[in-house]
Amino acid sequence: MRSFADPETEFEIVPSGSPPSVDGLTITEPKFLRCAECGAQVRIDGPDGHQTTIDNLPHDRDCPQRGMTSRYYEERFVR
């Protein structure tokens, strides 16, 4: 498995873009973690209280970054 920290990978942190009355976040506060290749995204610290990681992205099947994982994920779930 390749690490998300490899130089050839690219992910984006997307700001809220809306006022606090809409989502509780300021306009510039991080809201989504997004794959720059396929556009898959997950909410950062979503309403369920789970911490978002790079491992949670629902990549497209043909996305070149689909197999990217964190060291934590590999150690906990793969080995």
Side-chain angles (χ1 to χ4, degrees), residues 9 20-22 34 45 50 52-54 56 60 63 67 72 78:
T9 63
S21 60
V22 174
R34 180 186 296 158
D45 289 325
H50 289 95
T52 301
T53 68
I54 217 76
N56 299 120
D60 290 344
C63 179
Y72 171 81
V78 178

Side-chain angles (χ1 to χ4, degrees), residues 16-74:
S16 169
S18 58
S21 60
V22 174
D23 58 13
L25 302 171
T26 63
I27 291 174
T28 58
E29 194 169 356
K31 184 173 183 177
F32 293 106
L33 180 62
R34 180 186 296 158
C35 173
E37 291 288 331
C38 70
Q41 67 181 22
V42 290
R43 174 92 188 250
I44 296 173
D45 289 325
D48 59 2
H50 289 95
Q51 193 169 22
T52 301
T53 68
I54 217 76
D55 308 305
N56 299 120
L57 286 169
H59 294 281
D60 290 344
R61 289 182 186 260
D62 60 346
C63 179
Q65 298 191 131
R66 188 170 188 217
M68 298 295 160
T69 60
S70 64
R71 183 177 298 142
Y72 171 81
Y73 181 87
E74 262 189 71

